[in-house]
Amino acid sequence: MGLSRGRNAKAIWQDLVDIHGFTGGYQSVKRFVRKLLGRRSPEARVVIETAPGEETQVDYGTGPWSAMPASGKYRRTRLFVLTLGYSRKSVRLLVFRSSSQTWPSCTRKPFAGWAV
């Protein structure tokens, strides 16, 4: 019943303890749930291979709340993530403002000081 509602083994074990007074351990419930689920094949993923220096992927989204340096007031930040296509190394930057000037600045910042 718990699995059909999207519950995981930990939540099912906690329900068994709280509602039914179950005295068994979490590991036994986890083993039982694994048997019920059986082996699942991993989800297919697309792997994009690029030559060095050929591609950079960029994402921009909502970041965590953070205190602004000047005022100390808390504001929601923007998270900028730049990932190199070949090595998959990435840089994550938090910014307080999202504007047409911020985007190019964030794109250049990780490469500042590198010889071209």
Side-chain angles (χ1 to χ4, degrees):
M1 181 156 174
L3 288 175
S4 64
R5 293 184 310 178
R7 309 273 289 169
N8 63 19
K10 189 71 149 189
I12 293 170
W13 172 74
Q14 193 63 56
D15 288 346
L16 289 170
V17 170
D18 293 346
I19 298 167
H20 303 286
F22 181 68
T23 57
Y26 163 64
Q27 294 298 326
S28 61
V29 174
K30 189 164 83 170
R31 282 190 303 272
F32 182 74
V33 167
R34 281 187 182 157
K35 283 182 186 177
L36 286 177
L37 293 176
R39 281 196 70 118
R40 288 190 262 173
S41 54
E43 229 176 90
R45 307 229 187 255
V46 175
V47 178
I48 301 171
E49 294 183 10
T50 64
E54 184 176 290
E55 181 179 297
T56 298
Q57 297 165 350
V58 175
D59 197 10
Y60 207 45
T62 304
W65 286 90
S66 188
M68 291 185 62
S71 66
K73 291 183 180 181
Y74 277 83
R75 284 192 51 198
R76 173 72 73 184
T77 58
R78 300 288 291 164
L79 177 64
F80 176 89
V81 182
L82 180 139
T83 305
L84 299 175
Y86 179 73
S87 66
R88 307 306 303 159
K89 291 186 187 272
S90 65
V91 174
R92 293 164 181 84
L93 303 172
L94 290 177
V95 293
F96 287 101
R97 193 181 351 245
S98 180
S99 68
S100 58
Q101 288 87 23
T102 304
W103 180 268
S105 171
C106 287
T107 304
R108 285 189 302 269
K109 195 174 219 173
F111 302 104
W114 286 2
V116 179

